[in-house]
Amino acid sequence: MSTLHLDGFLPYRLSIASNRVSNVIATAYQAMFGLKIPEWRLVAVLAEGEGMSQQALGVMTRMDKVTVSRAAIGLVERGLVKREPNPHDQRSHLLRLTRSGEELYEQVAPKALELERRIFAEFEEKEIGQLRSMLERLEDAAAGFEVEAT
Amino acid sequence: MSTLHLDGFLPYRLSIASNRVSNVIATAYQAMFGLKIPEWRLVAVLAEGEGMSQQALGVMTRMDKVTVSRAAIGLVERGLVKREPNPHDQRSHLLRLTRSGEELYEQVAPKALELERRIFAEFEEKEIGQLRSMLERLEDAAAGFEVEAT
DNA sequence: GGAAACTGGTATCAATTGAAACTAACTACC
DNA sequence: GGTAGTTAGTTTCAATTGATACCAGTTTCC
């Protein structure tokens, strides 16, 4: 009889830990700025490279195009993002933070970093680097399986 | 202006990696055995310590009692789990794997372990241990914040 | 021993998410 | 230059999930 302790099963532990962390973050953003995670991700990406199409945003944030679409609509409605025509392709628009979107970002970013710091407060620098690298490799490994499944 | 690269933001990376891994696992279980993740978790726990109430299962699997309830109903319907009266509390039942539930487990467990091994194939033993420990600490850290939020 | 508070479990409801279908626009290629 | 196939984005639909309300049974405590 093969033994499998759920507690020792890494995909399980990963899921639990990730969900808890996501909850903390989601609750904090919602409470502080009324932002959902997908919205926040778009803001974060737009704050760096402005003038992106939604499909580019999808690649950057690894989110489904439906999720991106909804987040973009929400942000435009709230005046945080504006759409400018894309001279090269009339199907898409270039998204850009508005002035108030930029202001929001200036508020959110430090809070996000602080939250990250507090969550990982008891981790050493070296550990954080290792975790980062392992998560990256995991992402790639899992991506490989997804193809296989299809 | 504060800079926050989404790509470097650990809660984001954690979420992406975890979601991908969960997808792989969920797809595999669904395809191989028609099990959803919550169902599979119950089976795994019941295979070790039998005769548990749903509330105990909720603690063990860290799942919401609603999720446990639904998974339990599904498993009972499919004859993988049976409910026995709980002599100490008539509100609850003691859940137990049926014979065919045990047989299923005997099939699923090795597949699960193999999948885990393949996903983490490129990780060294030492790394896996570190990851395990970090996820545990993360879980605890995040749990602390959740209280704070309430 | 009975009312009040609590607990195990289920049902109902709303939110989130992705898959699939659809529209409009674009590209290839004959 | 017109048709077939593709791509950007939205809408619609179904599945999953958790919060809330609820019911039945249990504990507390006067």
Side-chain angles (χ1 to χ4, degrees), chain B residues 54-55 65-66 69 83 91-92:
Chain B
Q54 290 187 190
Q55 97 84 19
K65 66 178 181 172
V66 177
S69 170
R83 301 183 200 247
R91 292 169 302 181
S92 72

Side-chain angles (χ1 to χ4, degrees), chain B residues 48-102:
Chain B
E48 297 196 350
E50 300 234 349
M52 308 182 74
S53 70
Q54 290 187 190
Q55 97 84 19
L57 285 166
V59 173
M60 297 287 292
T61 59
R62 293 159 176 82
M63 294 193 298
D64 192 82
K65 66 178 181 172
V66 177
T67 308
V68 173
S69 170
R70 280 192 276 246
I73 290 171
L75 291 171
V76 170
E77 272 173 2
R78 286 170 48 199
L80 300 170
V81 162
K82 58 176 181 268
R83 301 183 200 247
E84 297 172 351
N86 180 349
H88 301 306
D89 189 335
Q90 311 210 49
R91 292 169 302 181
S92 72
H93 297 262
L94 298 182
L95 303 192
R96 201 176 288 279
L97 291 184
T98 62
R99 188 76 202 87
S100 88
E102 282 169 9

Side-chain angles (χ1 to χ4, degrees), chain B residues 9 87 114 140:
Chain B
F9 191 54
E114 191 203 325
D140 293 343

Side-chain angles (χ1 to χ4, degrees), chain A residues 2-18:
Chain A
S2 86
T3 30
L4 184 154
H5 285 269
L6 188 60
D7 269 342
F9 192 54
L10 274 166
Y12 167 68
R13 296 236 76 114
L14 182 62
S15 163
I16 299 290
S18 167

